[in-house]
Protein backbone atom coordinates (compact mmCIF):
# COMPACT_ATOMS: atom_id res chain seq x y z
CA UNK A 1 0.00 0.00 0.00
CA UNK A 2 1.25 3.48 -0.86
CA UNK A 3 2.35 5.38 2.24
CA UNK A 4 0.14 8.35 3.03
CA UNK A 5 1.64 11.84 2.93
CA UNK A 6 1.60 14.28 5.87
CA UNK A 7 -1.20 16.26 4.21
CA UNK A 8 -3.36 13.20 3.69
CA UNK A 9 -3.03 12.27 7.36
CA UNK A 10 -3.69 15.79 8.63
CA UNK A 11 -6.91 16.48 6.80
CA UNK A 12 -10.45 17.03 8.01
CA UNK A 13 -12.49 13.82 8.02
CA UNK A 14 -15.28 14.02 5.45
CA UNK A 15 -16.88 10.59 5.34
CA UNK A 16 -16.93 7.29 7.14
CA UNK A 17 -15.63 5.50 4.04
CA UNK A 18 -12.28 7.25 4.44
CA UNK A 19 -11.57 5.35 7.65
CA UNK A 20 -13.24 2.04 6.85
CA UNK A 21 -9.96 0.21 6.34
CA UNK A 22 -8.51 1.63 9.55
CA UNK A 23 -11.65 0.56 11.37
CA UNK A 24 -11.24 -3.04 10.23
CA UNK A 25 -7.72 -3.07 11.62
CA UNK A 26 -8.78 -1.42 14.88
CA UNK A 27 -11.68 -3.76 15.65
CA UNK A 28 -9.61 -6.85 14.97
CA UNK A 29 -7.47 -5.91 17.97
CA UNK A 30 -7.70 -8.19 21.00
CA UNK A 31 -7.14 -5.10 23.13
CA UNK A 32 -10.40 -3.29 22.30
CA UNK A 33 -12.05 -2.30 25.56
CA UNK A 34 -15.43 -3.55 26.78
CA UNK A 35 -16.47 -0.79 29.13
CA UNK A 36 -13.99 2.07 28.72
CA UNK A 37 -14.65 4.78 26.16
CA UNK A 38 -12.30 4.33 23.19
CA UNK A 39 -11.95 5.82 19.68
CA UNK A 40 -13.63 4.19 16.66
CA UNK A 41 -10.25 4.48 14.90
CA UNK A 42 -7.15 6.58 15.43
CA UNK A 43 -6.00 8.36 18.54
CA UNK A 44 -8.02 9.57 21.48
CA UNK A 45 -6.48 11.90 24.01
CA UNK A 46 -7.97 14.42 26.47
CA UNK A 47 -11.57 14.30 27.69
CA UNK A 48 -13.36 17.51 26.74
CA UNK A 49 -16.65 19.21 27.57
CA UNK A 50 -17.74 16.74 30.27
CA UNK A 51 -21.19 17.88 31.37
CA UNK A 52 -24.62 16.74 32.56
CA UNK A 53 -27.76 18.22 31.06
CA UNK A 54 -31.40 17.12 30.85
CA UNK A 55 -30.84 13.58 32.09
CA UNK A 56 -27.82 12.94 29.89
CA UNK A 57 -24.08 12.94 30.45
CA UNK A 58 -22.08 14.29 27.53
CA UNK A 59 -18.41 13.70 26.99
CA UNK A 60 -16.28 14.79 24.07
CA UNK A 61 -12.69 13.89 23.43
CA UNK A 62 -9.68 14.85 21.38
CA UNK A 63 -9.68 12.66 18.31
CA UNK A 64 -7.36 12.16 15.35
CA UNK A 65 -9.22 9.74 13.03
CA UNK A 66 -6.24 8.86 10.82
CA UNK A 67 -4.17 6.62 13.08
CA UNK A 68 -2.44 6.44 16.42
CA UNK A 69 -0.64 9.75 16.20
CA UNK A 70 -1.38 13.34 17.20
CA UNK A 71 -2.68 14.54 13.81
CA UNK A 72 -5.46 17.04 13.14
CA UNK A 73 -7.69 17.04 16.24
CA UNK A 74 -11.49 16.77 16.00
CA UNK A 75 -13.90 16.54 18.97
CA UNK A 76 -15.78 13.23 19.16
CA UNK A 77 -19.03 13.05 21.15
CA UNK A 78 -20.29 10.22 23.40
CA UNK A 79 -23.32 10.16 25.71
CA UNK A 80 -24.58 8.18 28.67
CA UNK A 81 -27.56 8.24 30.99
CA UNK A 82 -25.66 6.72 33.90
CA UNK A 83 -21.92 7.26 33.30
CA UNK A 84 -21.65 3.48 32.75
CA UNK A 85 -23.37 2.64 29.46
CA UNK A 86 -21.94 4.87 26.73
CA UNK A 87 -22.81 5.29 23.10
CA UNK A 88 -21.06 7.02 20.22
CA UNK A 89 -22.74 10.05 18.70
CA UNK A 90 -20.10 11.09 16.17
CA UNK A 91 -17.91 14.09 15.47
CA UNK A 92 -18.92 17.27 17.29
CA UNK A 93 -16.24 19.69 16.10
CA UNK A 94 -14.50 19.54 12.74
CA UNK A 95 -11.38 21.69 12.37
CA UNK A 96 -12.68 23.36 9.24
CA UNK A 97 -12.52 27.14 9.69
CA UNK A 98 -9.78 29.76 9.57
CA UNK A 99 -9.63 29.80 13.38
CA UNK A 100 -9.23 26.04 13.85
CA UNK A 101 -7.58 24.76 10.66
CA UNK A 102 -4.76 23.45 12.87
CA UNK A 103 -7.09 21.51 15.16
CA UNK A 104 -9.84 21.81 17.75
CA UNK A 105 -7.91 21.48 20.96
CA UNK A 106 -9.07 20.77 24.48
CA UNK A 107 -11.85 22.64 26.22
CA UNK A 108 -14.80 22.45 28.58
CA UNK A 109 -18.57 22.81 28.51
CA UNK A 110 -21.00 25.05 30.33
CA UNK A 111 -24.77 25.22 30.49
CA UNK A 112 -26.06 28.60 29.31
CA UNK A 113 -29.84 29.00 29.48
CA UNK A 114 -30.38 25.27 29.28
CA UNK A 115 -28.10 24.68 26.30
CA UNK A 116 -24.66 23.14 26.40
CA UNK A 117 -21.95 25.49 25.15
CA UNK A 118 -18.49 24.25 24.28
CA UNK A 119 -15.41 26.40 24.93
CA UNK A 120 -12.33 25.16 23.10
CA UNK A 121 -8.99 26.16 21.66
CA UNK A 122 -9.15 26.66 17.93
CA UNK A 123 -5.64 26.38 16.58
CA UNK A 124 -4.96 28.55 13.57
CA UNK A 125 -2.03 27.23 11.65
CA UNK A 126 -0.26 29.39 9.13
CA UNK A 127 2.46 27.69 7.08
CA UNK A 128 4.90 30.55 7.71
CA UNK A 129 4.32 31.18 11.39
CA UNK A 130 3.75 29.34 14.65
CA UNK A 131 0.30 28.06 15.54
CA UNK A 132 -1.98 30.64 17.15
CA UNK A 133 -4.59 29.69 19.67
CA UNK A 134 -8.09 31.21 19.70
CA UNK A 135 -10.64 30.64 22.44
CA UNK A 136 -13.77 29.67 20.56
CA UNK A 137 -17.34 28.79 21.47
CA UNK A 138 -19.95 26.47 20.00
CA UNK A 139 -23.48 25.59 20.98
CA UNK A 140 -25.01 22.13 21.16
CA UNK A 141 -28.60 22.14 19.97
CA UNK A 142 -31.26 19.90 21.51
CA UNK A 143 -30.75 17.34 18.75
CA UNK A 144 -27.01 17.19 19.51
CA UNK A 145 -25.91 19.24 16.52
CA UNK A 146 -23.00 21.59 17.09
CA UNK A 147 -23.04 25.17 15.85
CA UNK A 148 -19.78 27.08 16.04
CA UNK A 149 -19.92 30.80 16.75
CA UNK A 150 -18.27 32.53 13.80
CA UNK A 151 -15.88 34.73 15.80
CA UNK A 152 -13.64 33.55 18.62
CA UNK A 153 -14.19 34.95 22.12
CA UNK A 154 -10.58 36.12 22.19
CA UNK A 155 -7.27 35.49 20.51
CA UNK A 156 -3.80 34.79 21.87
CA UNK A 157 -2.01 37.21 24.16
CA UNK A 158 1.39 38.37 22.97
CA UNK A 159 2.66 38.54 26.55
CA UNK A 160 3.07 34.75 26.57
CA UNK A 161 4.49 32.15 24.18
CA UNK A 162 2.19 30.56 21.59
CA UNK A 163 1.41 27.82 24.14
CA UNK A 164 -1.99 29.09 25.33
CA UNK A 165 -4.83 26.62 25.31
CA UNK A 166 -7.44 24.45 27.05
CA UNK A 167 -10.09 26.95 28.27
CA UNK A 168 -11.87 26.02 31.48
CA UNK A 169 -14.96 28.13 32.10
CA UNK A 170 -15.84 28.93 35.71
CA UNK A 171 -18.66 30.94 37.30
CA UNK A 172 -17.89 32.69 40.57
CA UNK A 173 -20.95 33.21 42.77
CA UNK A 174 -19.36 35.96 44.88
CA UNK A 175 -18.49 38.31 42.05
CA UNK A 176 -21.26 37.12 39.75
CA UNK A 177 -18.64 36.93 37.01
CA UNK A 178 -17.43 34.30 34.57
CA UNK A 179 -13.78 33.38 34.26
CA UNK A 180 -11.82 31.40 31.73
CA UNK A 181 -8.57 29.76 32.80
CA UNK A 182 -6.11 29.16 29.97
CA UNK A 183 -3.10 26.86 30.34
CA UNK A 184 -0.04 28.80 29.26
CA UNK A 185 3.69 29.39 29.27
CA UNK A 186 5.56 32.58 30.16
CA UNK A 187 8.22 33.88 27.81
CA UNK A 188 10.87 32.61 30.21
CA UNK A 189 9.38 29.12 29.84
CA UNK A 190 7.44 28.74 33.08
CA UNK A 191 4.07 27.05 33.21
CA UNK A 192 1.18 29.29 34.28
CA UNK A 193 -2.53 30.04 33.95
CA UNK A 194 -3.89 33.17 32.26
CA UNK A 195 -7.27 34.35 33.53
CA UNK A 196 -9.96 36.07 31.45
CA UNK A 197 -13.09 37.65 32.91
CA UNK A 198 -16.54 38.61 31.69
CA UNK A 199 -20.04 39.37 32.93
CA UNK A 200 -21.49 37.38 30.02
CA UNK A 201 -20.10 34.01 28.93
CA UNK A 202 -20.82 34.79 25.28
CA UNK A 203 -19.00 38.13 25.00
CA UNK A 204 -17.03 40.97 26.67
CA UNK A 205 -14.08 38.81 27.67
CA UNK A 206 -10.99 40.68 28.81
CA UNK A 207 -7.70 39.46 30.17
CA UNK A 208 -7.13 39.88 33.91
CA UNK A 209 -3.57 38.50 33.89
CA UNK A 210 -1.57 35.62 35.26
CA UNK A 211 -2.98 33.62 38.13
CA UNK A 212 -0.65 33.98 41.13
CA UNK A 213 0.06 30.65 42.76
CA UNK A 214 2.62 31.50 45.46
CA UNK A 215 5.44 28.97 45.49
CA UNK A 216 4.61 27.67 42.00
CA UNK A 217 6.12 30.45 39.87
CA UNK A 218 8.54 28.05 38.26
CA UNK A 219 7.03 24.61 38.32
CA UNK A 220 7.18 22.94 34.92
CA UNK A 221 7.47 24.70 31.60
CA UNK A 222 3.82 24.65 30.46
CA UNK A 223 0.59 23.98 32.35
CA UNK A 224 -1.92 22.06 30.25
CA UNK A 225 -5.61 21.49 31.00
CA UNK A 226 -6.06 23.79 34.02
CA UNK A 227 -9.18 23.59 36.13
CA UNK A 228 -10.54 25.10 39.32
CA UNK A 229 -12.99 22.96 41.26
CA UNK A 230 -14.80 23.43 44.55
CA UNK A 231 -15.33 20.67 47.07
CA UNK A 232 -16.98 21.81 50.29
CA UNK A 233 -14.99 24.74 51.57
CA UNK A 234 -11.91 23.86 49.52
CA UNK A 235 -10.78 25.10 46.12
CA UNK A 236 -8.74 22.72 44.05
CA UNK A 237 -6.45 23.70 41.24
CA UNK A 238 -5.95 20.80 38.83
CA UNK A 239 -3.43 21.02 35.99
CA UNK A 240 -0.76 19.17 34.02
CA UNK A 241 2.69 20.65 34.48
CA UNK A 242 5.09 19.62 31.71
CA UNK A 243 8.85 19.27 31.66
CA UNK A 244 8.79 18.41 35.34
CA UNK A 245 10.99 15.59 36.57
CA UNK A 246 9.62 13.53 39.44
CA UNK A 247 11.41 10.85 41.38
CA UNK A 248 10.41 7.37 40.30
CA UNK A 249 9.03 8.49 36.94
CA UNK A 250 12.13 7.80 34.85
CA UNK A 251 12.55 10.37 32.11
CA UNK A 252 8.78 11.05 31.99
CA UNK A 253 8.07 14.76 32.42
CA UNK A 254 4.27 15.00 31.89
CA UNK A 255 2.18 14.82 35.06
CA UNK A 256 -1.36 15.51 36.19
CA UNK A 257 -1.90 16.73 39.71
CA UNK A 258 -3.62 19.17 42.00
CA UNK A 259 -3.13 21.66 44.79
CA UNK A 260 -5.73 22.25 47.49
CA UNK A 261 -6.08 25.88 48.55
CA UNK A 262 -8.29 28.92 48.24
CA UNK A 263 -9.07 31.10 45.27
CA UNK A 264 -9.42 34.86 45.44
CA UNK A 265 -10.59 36.42 42.20
CA UNK A 266 -10.04 40.01 43.40
CA UNK A 267 -6.32 39.55 43.77
CA UNK A 268 -6.25 36.76 41.19
CA UNK A 269 -4.46 34.53 43.66
CA UNK A 270 -4.78 30.85 44.37
CA UNK A 271 -3.21 30.35 47.82
CA UNK A 272 -1.99 26.78 48.23
CA UNK A 273 -2.69 25.00 51.46
CA UNK A 274 -0.13 22.26 50.89
CA UNK A 275 1.90 20.59 48.22
CA UNK A 276 1.26 19.51 44.62
CA UNK A 277 -0.08 15.95 44.65
CA UNK A 278 -0.37 13.55 41.76
CA UNK A 279 -3.93 12.61 40.89
CA UNK A 280 -2.95 9.07 40.03
CA UNK A 281 -0.04 6.83 40.98
CA UNK A 282 -0.17 4.50 37.99
CA UNK A 283 1.53 4.85 34.64
CA UNK A 284 -1.06 6.35 32.29
CA UNK A 285 -3.44 9.09 33.34
CA UNK A 286 -3.53 12.65 32.07
CA UNK A 287 -5.67 15.70 31.28
CA UNK A 288 -8.31 14.89 33.92
CA UNK A 289 -11.52 16.85 33.67
CA UNK A 290 -14.37 17.27 36.18
CA UNK A 291 -17.94 17.33 34.94
CA UNK A 292 -19.75 20.65 34.90
CA UNK A 293 -23.33 20.90 36.16
CA UNK A 294 -23.61 17.48 37.76
CA UNK A 295 -27.14 16.25 38.50
CA UNK A 296 -26.57 16.53 42.25
CA UNK A 297 -24.89 19.86 42.90
CA UNK A 298 -22.57 18.57 45.61
CA UNK A 299 -21.18 15.66 43.57
CA UNK A 300 -17.92 15.91 41.69
CA UNK A 301 -17.01 13.46 38.94
CA UNK A 302 -13.67 13.20 37.22
CA UNK A 303 -12.56 11.38 34.10
CA UNK A 304 -9.10 11.29 32.53
CA UNK A 305 -7.28 10.12 29.44
CA UNK A 306 -5.64 6.74 30.11
CA UNK A 307 -2.61 7.89 28.20
CA UNK A 308 0.25 10.36 28.25
CA UNK A 309 1.74 12.81 25.78
CA UNK A 310 4.95 11.70 24.07
CA UNK A 311 4.15 8.01 24.62
CA UNK A 312 3.49 5.16 22.26
CA UNK A 313 1.35 2.09 22.79
CA UNK A 314 1.30 -1.48 21.47
CA UNK A 315 -1.97 -0.79 19.60
CA UNK A 316 -0.37 2.01 17.57
CA UNK A 317 0.27 -0.54 14.83
CA UNK A 318 -3.44 -1.41 14.88
CA UNK A 319 -4.35 2.18 13.96
CA UNK A 320 -5.88 3.12 17.30
CA UNK A 321 -4.75 4.20 20.74
CA UNK A 322 -6.09 5.69 23.94
CA UNK A 323 -9.15 5.26 26.11
CA UNK A 324 -10.77 7.03 29.04
CA UNK A 325 -10.50 6.04 32.69
CA UNK A 326 -13.66 5.03 34.52
CA UNK A 327 -15.44 8.11 35.83
CA UNK A 328 -14.61 8.60 39.52
CA UNK A 329 -16.34 10.42 42.30
CA UNK A 330 -14.18 12.95 44.13
CA UNK A 331 -14.21 13.83 47.81
CA UNK A 332 -11.61 15.23 50.20
CA UNK A 333 -10.13 13.38 53.16
CA UNK A 334 -7.19 14.66 55.20
CA UNK A 335 -6.40 17.29 52.61
CA UNK A 336 -6.11 14.74 49.85
CA UNK A 337 -8.43 14.03 46.98
CA UNK A 338 -10.14 10.69 47.29
CA UNK A 339 -11.25 9.02 44.06
CA UNK A 340 -13.83 6.28 44.22
CA UNK A 341 -15.34 4.36 41.35
CA UNK A 342 -18.79 5.85 40.75
CA UNK A 343 -21.86 4.22 42.30
CA UNK A 344 -23.67 1.74 40.12
CA UNK A 345 -20.68 0.00 38.56
CA UNK A 346 -21.93 -3.09 40.40
CA UNK A 347 -24.53 -3.35 37.62
CA UNK A 348 -21.73 -4.43 35.26
CA UNK A 349 -21.11 -7.57 37.31
CA UNK A 350 -21.99 -10.85 35.65
CA UNK A 351 -20.94 -14.21 37.06
CA UNK A 352 -18.82 -14.62 40.16
CA UNK A 353 -15.58 -16.34 39.27
CA UNK A 354 -14.03 -18.75 41.71
CA UNK A 355 -10.65 -17.46 42.94
CA UNK A 356 -9.45 -21.02 43.25
CA UNK A 357 -9.38 -21.26 39.42
CA UNK A 358 -6.48 -18.80 39.51
CA UNK A 359 -7.52 -17.51 36.09
CA UNK A 360 -8.63 -13.96 35.34
CA UNK A 361 -11.50 -13.25 32.98
CA UNK A 362 -10.71 -10.63 30.24
CA UNK A 363 -12.88 -8.13 32.05
CA UNK A 364 -13.16 -8.31 35.80
CA UNK A 365 -13.76 -6.57 39.07
CA UNK A 366 -11.77 -7.87 42.00
CA UNK A 367 -12.50 -6.87 45.58
CA UNK A 368 -9.95 -7.89 48.18
CA UNK A 369 -10.02 -7.35 51.95
CA UNK A 370 -6.66 -7.56 53.65
CA UNK A 371 -5.63 -7.39 57.28
CA UNK A 372 -2.85 -4.85 57.49
CA UNK A 373 0.17 -7.03 56.87
CA UNK A 374 2.62 -7.57 54.05
CA UNK A 375 0.65 -8.48 50.94
CA UNK A 376 1.36 -9.45 47.36
CA UNK A 377 -0.82 -10.02 44.37
CA UNK A 378 0.13 -10.67 40.77
CA UNK A 379 -2.30 -10.10 37.94
CA UNK A 380 -1.77 -11.48 34.42
CA UNK A 381 0.81 -14.01 35.54
CA UNK A 382 1.86 -16.94 33.37
CA UNK A 383 0.36 -20.42 34.02
CA UNK A 384 3.32 -21.27 36.26
CA UNK A 385 2.69 -18.16 38.39
CA UNK A 386 5.68 -16.16 37.12
CA UNK A 387 5.69 -12.73 35.44
CA UNK A 388 2.70 -10.42 35.38
CA UNK A 389 1.78 -7.15 37.02
CA UNK A 390 2.70 -7.17 40.67
CA UNK A 391 1.05 -5.28 43.51
CA UNK A 392 3.26 -5.43 46.55
CA UNK A 393 2.62 -3.95 49.99
CA UNK A 394 5.10 -3.66 52.86
CA UNK A 395 3.27 -3.00 56.09
CA UNK A 396 6.32 -1.67 57.94
CA UNK A 397 6.77 1.28 55.60
CA UNK A 398 3.15 1.32 54.34
CA UNK A 399 4.56 1.34 50.81
CA UNK A 400 2.48 -0.06 48.00
CA UNK A 401 4.24 -0.72 44.69
CA UNK A 402 2.85 -1.49 41.27
CA UNK A 403 5.40 -3.09 38.96
CA UNK A 404 4.70 -4.05 35.37
CA UNK A 405 8.19 -5.11 34.34
CA UNK A 406 7.08 -8.77 34.47
CA UNK A 407 4.69 -8.44 31.50
CA UNK A 408 5.58 -9.88 28.09
CA UNK A 409 4.67 -6.63 26.33
CA UNK A 410 6.58 -3.76 27.88
CA UNK A 411 6.09 -0.20 26.71
CA UNK A 412 6.95 3.34 27.79
CA UNK A 413 9.68 1.80 29.93
CA UNK A 414 11.57 5.09 29.95
CA UNK A 415 8.89 6.42 32.35
CA UNK A 416 9.86 3.76 34.88
CA UNK A 417 8.25 0.35 35.29
CA UNK A 418 7.29 0.53 38.94
CA UNK A 419 5.41 3.11 41.00
CA UNK A 420 5.34 3.35 44.78
CA UNK A 421 3.12 5.27 47.12
CA UNK A 422 3.20 5.46 50.90
CA UNK A 423 -0.34 4.93 52.21
CA UNK A 424 -1.89 7.08 54.94
CA UNK A 425 -3.09 3.93 56.72
CA UNK A 426 -2.29 0.24 56.45
CA UNK A 427 -3.59 -1.58 53.38
CA UNK A 428 -7.07 -2.96 54.03
CA UNK A 429 -8.93 -2.89 50.70
CA UNK A 430 -8.28 -3.18 47.01
CA UNK A 431 -10.93 -2.73 44.34
CA UNK A 432 -9.56 -3.51 40.92
CA UNK A 433 -11.17 -3.01 37.52
CA UNK A 434 -9.70 -4.94 34.63
CA UNK A 435 -10.69 -4.36 31.03
CA UNK A 436 -9.08 -5.92 27.94
CA UNK A 437 -6.13 -3.53 28.05
CA UNK A 438 -6.31 -1.57 31.28
CA UNK A 439 -6.27 -1.90 35.01
CA UNK A 440 -7.47 0.58 37.65
CA UNK A 441 -6.57 -0.18 41.24
CA UNK A 442 -8.47 1.70 43.95
CA UNK A 443 -6.63 1.38 47.25
CA UNK A 444 -8.36 1.70 50.63
CA UNK A 445 -11.60 3.12 49.30
CA UNK A 446 -9.99 5.75 47.09
CA UNK A 447 -7.00 6.74 49.20
CA UNK A 448 -4.81 6.12 46.16
CA UNK A 449 -5.50 5.09 42.57
CA UNK A 450 -3.14 3.37 40.18
CA UNK A 451 -4.31 3.57 36.56
CA UNK A 452 -2.45 1.79 33.79
CA UNK A 453 -2.77 0.38 30.32
CA UNK A 454 -1.70 -3.22 30.17
CA UNK A 455 -1.51 -5.55 27.17
CA UNK A 456 -1.62 -9.16 28.35
CA UNK A 457 -0.80 -11.91 25.86
CA UNK A 458 -2.60 -15.26 25.57
CA UNK A 459 -0.46 -16.93 28.24
CA UNK A 460 -0.93 -14.06 30.74
CA UNK A 461 -4.28 -14.60 32.44
CA UNK A 462 -3.33 -16.13 35.75
CA UNK A 463 -3.10 -14.51 39.14
CA UNK A 464 -1.46 -15.18 42.45
CA UNK A 465 -2.36 -13.75 45.84
CA UNK A 466 -0.90 -13.97 49.32
CA UNK A 467 -3.11 -14.62 52.33
CA UNK A 468 -6.08 -12.24 52.60
CA UNK A 469 -9.37 -11.97 54.50
CA UNK A 470 -11.61 -12.24 51.46
CA UNK A 471 -11.54 -12.03 47.70
CA UNK A 472 -14.39 -11.76 45.20
CA UNK A 473 -13.98 -11.78 41.45
CA UNK A 474 -16.73 -10.92 39.03
CA UNK A 475 -16.66 -11.10 35.31
CA UNK A 476 -17.91 -7.77 33.93
CA UNK A 477 -20.28 -7.08 31.06
CA UNK A 478 -19.98 -4.90 28.00
CA UNK A 479 -21.28 -1.36 28.47
CA UNK A 480 -19.79 0.40 25.48
CA UNK A 481 -21.63 0.56 22.20
CA UNK A 482 -18.66 0.75 19.90
CA UNK A 483 -20.74 1.80 16.87
CA UNK A 484 -18.92 3.01 13.76
CA UNK A 485 -20.42 6.49 13.53
CA UNK A 486 -19.13 9.92 12.56
C1 LIG B 1 -2.99 17.70 26.46
C2 LIG B 1 -3.01 18.51 25.18
C3 LIG B 1 -3.72 19.83 25.37
C4 LIG B 1 -4.16 20.15 23.97
C5 LIG B 1 -4.53 18.80 23.44
C6 LIG B 1 -4.27 18.61 21.97
O1 LIG B 1 -2.86 16.35 26.23
O2 LIG B 1 -1.72 18.69 24.68
O3 LIG B 1 -2.94 20.84 25.96
O4 LIG B 1 -5.22 21.05 23.92
O5 LIG B 1 -3.78 17.86 24.18
O6 LIG B 1 -4.76 17.39 21.54
Amino acid sequence: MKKKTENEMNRVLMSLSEIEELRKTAVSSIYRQSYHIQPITGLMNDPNGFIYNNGMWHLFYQWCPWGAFHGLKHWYHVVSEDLINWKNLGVALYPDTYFDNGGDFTGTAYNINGLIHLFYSGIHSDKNSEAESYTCMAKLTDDNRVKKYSAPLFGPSDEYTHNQRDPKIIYDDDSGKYYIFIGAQTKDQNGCIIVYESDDPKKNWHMRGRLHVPGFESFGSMWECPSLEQLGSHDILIFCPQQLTLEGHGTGTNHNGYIIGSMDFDSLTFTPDGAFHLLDFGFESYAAECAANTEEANKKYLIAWMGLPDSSFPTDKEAWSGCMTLPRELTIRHRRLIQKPIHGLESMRKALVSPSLKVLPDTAEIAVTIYPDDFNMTLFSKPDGTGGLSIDYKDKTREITLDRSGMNIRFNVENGESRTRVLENGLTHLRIFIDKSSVEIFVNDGDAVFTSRIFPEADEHGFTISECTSINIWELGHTLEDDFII
Side-chain angles (χ1 to χ4, degrees):
M1 204 182 5
K2 195 169 144 276
K3 204 164 177 285
K4 293 212 162 38
T5 65
E6 267 296 295
N7 279 346
E8 282 172 319
M9 319 269 279
N10 279 307
R11 65 194 195 274
V12 180
L13 180 66
M14 305 294 275
S15 79
L16 209 54
S17 61
E18 293 175 285
I19 51 172
E20 242 160 31
E21 286 305 312
L22 293 174
R23 172 73 176 175
K24 282 185 201 147
T25 315
V27 293
S28 66
S29 168
I30 57 166
Y31 297 118
R32 293 293 284 177
Q33 300 278 53
S34 286
Y35 60 91
H36 286 87
I37 301 163
Q38 65 193 338
I40 51 171
T41 63
L43 177 140
M44 154 197 287
N45 57 304
D46 311 358
N48 295 156
F50 188 19
I51 192 165
Y52 179 80
N53 195 29
N54 279 338
M56 194 61 90
W57 294 92
H58 297 258
L59 181 77
F60 305 81
Y61 57 79
Q62 289 287 285
W63 184 48
C64 165
W66 307 114
F69 58 92
H70 288 272
L72 191 64
K73 294 293 167 66
H74 302 52
W75 275 36
Y76 196 93
H77 188 184
V78 292
V79 287
S80 170
E81 282 175 19
D82 56 7
L83 288 175
I84 299 167
N85 294 276
W86 290 94
K87 77 173 184 220
N88 292 338
L89 277 196
V91 179
L93 289 174
Y94 288 93
D96 56 0
T97 72
Y98 172 86
F99 293 111
D100 63 357
N101 67 331
D104 290 318
F105 275 18
T106 280
T108 50
Y110 201 79
N111 183 330
I112 306 174
N113 301 329
L115 282 186
I116 294 176
H117 285 68
L118 309 174
F119 295 77
Y120 59 98
S121 292
I123 305 296
H124 171 70
S125 168
D126 178 332
K127 289 237 158 32
N128 307 314
S129 69
E130 287 189 318
E132 286 186 325
S133 178
Y134 289 87
T135 299
C136 303
M137 189 172 79
K139 166 167 87 180
L140 192 70
T141 59
D142 283 334
D143 55 356
N144 287 317
R145 256 183 264 256
V146 175
K147 285 199 177 140
K148 287 181 183 169
Y149 283 68
S150 53
L153 298 174
F154 50 86
S157 155
D158 55 17
E159 292 169 39
Y160 299 83
T161 71
H162 73 281
N163 282 313
Q164 302 174 35
R165 53 180 180 266
D166 311 340
K168 163 72 184 181
I169 176 151
I170 297 153
Y171 176 70
D172 174 47
D173 267 333
D174 293 339
S175 57
K177 296 227 161 82
Y178 293 88
Y179 295 90
I180 286 182
F181 279 20
I182 299 281
Q185 180 178 52
T186 63
K187 288 203 167 149
D188 54 356
Q189 312 287 307
N190 285 310
C192 67
I193 292 169
I194 321 175
V195 182
Y196 289 78
E197 183 185 283
S198 173
D199 48 12
D200 181 337
K202 295 188 186 173
K203 52 182 197 265
N204 304 339
W205 287 98
H206 64 275
M207 188 169 113
R208 281 282 309 276
R210 176 178 176 179
L211 178 72
H212 307 288
V213 189
F216 290 85
E217 291 75 9
S218 100
F219 186 73
S221 71
M222 160 72 192
W223 288 6
E224 295 192 312
C225 309
S227 177
L228 180 73
E229 304 293 336
Q230 250 188 337
L231 263 179
S233 58
H234 300 279
D235 293 322
I236 301 149
L237 192 65
I238 302 178
F239 58 104
C240 300
Q242 298 193 292
Q243 291 304 320
L244 187 73
T245 328
L246 291 184
E247 212 190 313
H249 286 245
T251 55
T253 58
N254 299 303
H255 311 284
N256 197 178
Y258 67 93
I259 311 171
I260 295 182
S262 56
M263 179 68 209
D264 179 36
F265 283 101
D266 285 340
S267 63
L268 221 59
T269 304
F270 180 89
T271 308
D273 182 18
F276 173 84
H277 298 292
L278 288 177
L279 270 172
D280 199 289
F281 299 96
F283 298 96
E284 281 90 22
S285 177
Y286 198 74
E289 186 182 333
C290 288
N293 309 99
T294 51
E295 73 217 288
E296 294 150 87
N298 59 344
K299 295 255 186 203
K300 191 68 59 197
Y301 296 105
L302 172 139
I303 197 162
W305 168 33
M306 232 197 271
L308 272 185
D310 311 320
S311 291
S312 44
F313 293 90
T315 60
D316 290 1
K317 54 179 186 302
E318 299 169 343
W320 73 284
S321 101
C323 67
M324 288 295 143
T325 64
L326 283 173
R328 291 114 190 239
E329 189 181 336
L330 288 186
T331 49
I332 287 195
R333 198 195 296 149
H334 301 140
R335 295 204 185 156
R336 286 292 176 98
L337 280 184
I338 300 297
Q339 294 177 54
K340 293 186 194 179
I342 50 160
H343 280 295
L345 289 178
E346 298 77 12
S347 66
M348 297 196 307
R349 291 175 184 167
K350 296 204 306 194
L352 261 173
V353 177
S354 165
S356 60
L357 293 175
K358 296 277 182 266
V359 175
L360 289 174
D362 279 356
T363 58
E365 179 187 340
I366 308 177
V368 189
T369 317
I370 301 138
Y371 31 75
D373 200 349
D374 288 358
F375 172 82
N376 183 274
M377 184 168 188
T378 309
L379 304 172
F380 313 109
S381 53
K382 304 226 168 53
D384 65 0
T386 62
L389 172 79
S390 121
I391 303 167
D392 192 60
Y393 174 69
K394 299 267 176 287
D395 195 45
K396 195 156 166 230
T397 53
R398 296 200 315 274
E399 279 176 322
I400 182 159
T401 300
L402 183 72
D403 187 331
R404 64 178 177 187
S405 61
M407 297 295 296
N408 288 348
I409 297 185
R410 293 162 70 182
F411 59 101
N412 294 337
V413 293
E414 60 285 0
N415 290 356
E417 290 188 279
S418 80
R419 291 287 155 83
T420 297
R421 151 118 167 119
V422 178
L423 298 180
E424 307 274 314
N425 302 299
L427 178 65
T428 52
H429 289 92
L430 289 175
R431 194 164 170 210
I432 303 173
F433 288 88
I434 294 173
D435 203 342
K436 302 268 181 51
S437 53
S438 66
V439 58
E440 287 158 281
I441 304 168
F442 294 86
V443 179
N444 286 355
D445 212 16
D447 187 16
V449 188
F450 293 79
T451 301
S452 296
R453 297 304 302 275
I454 196 98
F455 298 90
E457 291 193 314
D459 65 338
E460 296 179 304
H461 285 288
F463 78 93
T464 66
I465 186 164
S466 62
E467 221 175 294
C468 63
T469 313
S470 72
I471 173 166
N472 278 311
I473 305 177
W474 294 268
E475 188 177 350
L476 297 181
H478 207 105
T479 60
L480 184 75
E481 281 179 30
D482 196 9
D483 292 349
F484 188 38
I485 294 174
I486 63 164

